[in-house]
């Protein structure tokens, strides 16, 4: 699904301007945990909430290349906003890519998006089982009652819940042959309540709180997707790579913000004992060089993955692998920036410690890095046991279309 967004380079200027506008209030949202509603009003006014929405539904029809660029740039300004936006893009992309959602639900979402910020996110993780990636069926149950489903259960880490209009909620049906089914659940549905649980070290304004459902009634036809519960949860590899790539782009953006802050500091701060800016010190230059190498590597990995996904080429589990590397690089960049800045970097007003806390929070996304490594190891051992020689995938050219995520 190659993108044809010829106007995007100009739109990216708008995104950069928005990121610059969001940055001055990022520390406030971090300190208070207050949700950045105003940022989403601005994103809606700019048409960016519909970036990956199909053109026939009033969106811009962008692909992963464009979504990555927007998320990384907004992440540079205010990463909590970027993560909520990434989750919305993931749901909109899944709606467009699968072609399986009932027409009346698509129409409902499209019409709401024309009126104002109408965001959507998946609700899958649960306190008792964690992420579905761990292989356990949900404890949230949907019981059929005439022409409605009645859903009861508990979901956690529902990112952006204060602004979400719907959650695409995974539940186990109580049918004789149970299904894993996703339901479009309005967040204002009677019986749904939010339990404020999010108090993490970083990404504090994402409001990734819990939702409790007590006999929430959903029309029988409001199932978005379903499959037999006896089968592993189906994941289309292009859509999975889209999701993992956007997660990586959020924290890549935060790491770029840390780099920019560090560069500004070392080029302007000249200690009296040195008589020159810190940027002239060899070990500062070496550390900054390390940061640049890591950011350039992440940029190239993200762009290459986006090119493959947008072109419809197979990507296997590369989405997970790229996210692993990009997140590790982001954490290393912000940690090194703190070290190079010295005592001033630890001051909360300096912002570097906030960037570091935000990138550390990336470790919480499922599957965690140790699971990704286990999956890679099992695949290698399986190939060896089958007598297969693993060949490196063909390297695809990176089209210099615009400064996507650098």
């Amino acid at each position: 699904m190659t993108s044809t967004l010829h106007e995007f380079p100009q739109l990216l200027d708008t995104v950069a301007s928005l990121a610059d506008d969001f940055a001055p209030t990022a520390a406030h949202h971090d300190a208070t945990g207050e949700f950045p509603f105003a940022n989403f009003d601005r994103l809606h006014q700019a048409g960016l909430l519909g970036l990956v929405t199909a053109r026939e539904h009033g969106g811009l029809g962008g692909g992963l290349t464009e979504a990555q660029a927007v998320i990384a740039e907004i992440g540079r300004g205010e990463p909590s906003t970027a993560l909520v936006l990434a989750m919305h893009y993931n749901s909109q992309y899944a709606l467009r890519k699968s072609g399986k959602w009932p027409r009346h639900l698509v129409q409902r979402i499209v019409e709401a998006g024309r009126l104002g910020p109408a965001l959507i996110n998946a609700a899958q993780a649960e306190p008792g089982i964690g992420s579905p990636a761990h292989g356990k069926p949900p404890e949230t149950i949907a019981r059929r009652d005439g022409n409605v489903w009645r859903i009861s259960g508990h979901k956690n880490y529902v990112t952006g819940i204060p602004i979400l209009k719907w959650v695409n909620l995974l539940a186990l049906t109580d049918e004789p042959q149970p299904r894993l089914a996703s339901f479009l659940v309005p967040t204002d549905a009677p019986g749904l309540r939010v339990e404020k649980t999010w108090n993490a070290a970083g990404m504090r304004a994402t409001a990734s709180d819990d939702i409790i459902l007590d006999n929430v009634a959903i029309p029988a036809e409001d199932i978005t997707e379903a499959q037999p519960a006896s089968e592993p949860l189906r994941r289309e590899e292009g859509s999975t790579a889209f999701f993992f790539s956007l997660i990586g782009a959020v924290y890549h953006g935060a790491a770029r913000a840390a780099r920019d802050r560090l560069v500004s500091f070392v080029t302007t701060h000249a200690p009296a004992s040195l008589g020159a800016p810190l940027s002239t010190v060899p070990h500062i230059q070496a550390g900054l060089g390390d940061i640049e190498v890591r950011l350039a590597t992440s940029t190239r990995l993200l762009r290459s993955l986006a090119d493959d996904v947008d072109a419809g080429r197979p990507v296997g589990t590369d989405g997970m692998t790229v996210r692993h590397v990009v997140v590790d690089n982001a954490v290393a960049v912000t940690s090194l920036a703190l070290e190079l800045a010295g005592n001033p970097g630890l001051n909360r007003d300096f912002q570097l410690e906030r960037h570091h806390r935000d990138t550390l929070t990336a470790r919480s996304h499922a599957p965690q890095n140790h699971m990704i490594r286990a999956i890679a190891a099992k695949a290698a051992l399986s190939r060896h046991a089958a007598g297969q020689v693993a060949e490196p995938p063909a390297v695809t050219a990176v089209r210099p279309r615009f400064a996507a995520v650098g």
Side-chain angles (χ1 to χ4, degrees), residues 67-349:
Q68 244 185 37
V70 170
I71 294 301
E73 190 64 8
I74 297 299
R76 177 182 66 80
E78 205 292 285
S80 288
T81 297
L83 184 61
V84 177
L85 183 61
M87 298 298 184
H88 173 69
Y89 282 171
N90 182 59
S91 293
Q92 290 282 350
Y93 184 81
L95 184 155
R96 165 183 161 198
K97 181 74 172 174
S98 74
K100 297 176 182 176
W101 285 42
R103 183 175 300 179
H104 73 282
L105 295 183
V106 173
Q107 192 64 30
R108 187 181 303 168
I109 292 169
V110 168
E111 289 178 356
R114 294 193 183 107
L115 300 176
L119 280 79
I120 181 173
N121 188 9
Q124 296 191 339
E126 298 185 1
I129 65 164
S131 165
H134 298 147
K136 297 293 184 181
E139 295 175 347
T140 298
I141 304 297
R143 296 177 174 82
R144 188 64 182 263
D145 180 13
N147 61 356
V148 301
W149 292 96
R150 297 194 177 276
I151 306 175
S152 295
H154 185 171
K155 297 290 184 181
N156 56 1
Y157 306 121
V158 186
T159 298
I161 187 62
I163 203 169
L164 298 183
K165 191 170 184 64
W166 304 278
V167 290
N168 189 29
L169 182 137
L170 183 68
L172 184 68
T173 69
D174 70 340
E175 299 164 298
Q177 306 248 330
R179 291 182 292 167
L180 288 173
S182 293
F183 300 82
L184 189 69
V185 179
T187 54
D188 61 356
L192 186 153
R193 64 181 174 87
V194 176
E195 188 171 285
K196 300 187 79 58
T197 55
W198 183 246
N199 191 26
M203 303 299 285
R204 291 178 49 76
T206 61
S208 299
D209 294 315
D210 291 14
I211 58 172
I212 313 295
L213 300 97
D214 183 10
N215 209 31
V216 174
I218 299 298
E221 63 272 17
D222 285 6
I223 292 181
T224 60
E225 294 187 74
Q227 65 169 81
S230 57
E231 300 175 3
L233 191 61
R234 295 170 189 157
R235 307 283 194 188
E236 194 274 324
E237 69 177 44
S239 294
T240 300
F242 184 97
F243 173 66
F244 287 139
S245 174
L246 291 192
I247 297 297
V250 171
Y251 299 102
H252 182 56
R256 288 172 55 220
R259 182 272 313 274
D260 294 347
R261 182 68 184 95
L262 176 67
V263 169
S264 176
F265 175 65
V266 300
T267 54
T268 57
H269 184 60
S273 58
L274 181 63
L278 287 173
S279 58
T280 63
V281 177
H283 93 269
I284 297 289
Q285 293 180 356
L288 184 57
D290 188 349
I291 286 173
E292 289 299 294
V293 168
R294 290 179 182 277
L295 291 177
T297 300
S298 294
T299 294
R300 283 294 169 181
L301 284 173
L302 289 167
R303 285 179 179 173
S304 177
L305 182 64
D307 275 349
D308 283 348
V309 170
D310 287 344
R313 291 187 283 266
V315 292
T317 59
D318 287 356
M320 286 192 299
T321 305
V322 167
R323 196 204 74 183
H324 185 311
V325 175
V326 170
V327 164
D328 276 0
N329 281 342
V331 172
V333 163
T334 57
S335 178
L336 185 53
L338 274 175
E339 178 184 336
L340 296 174
N343 282 340
L346 292 172
N347 189 306
R348 288 175 65 90
D349 293 336

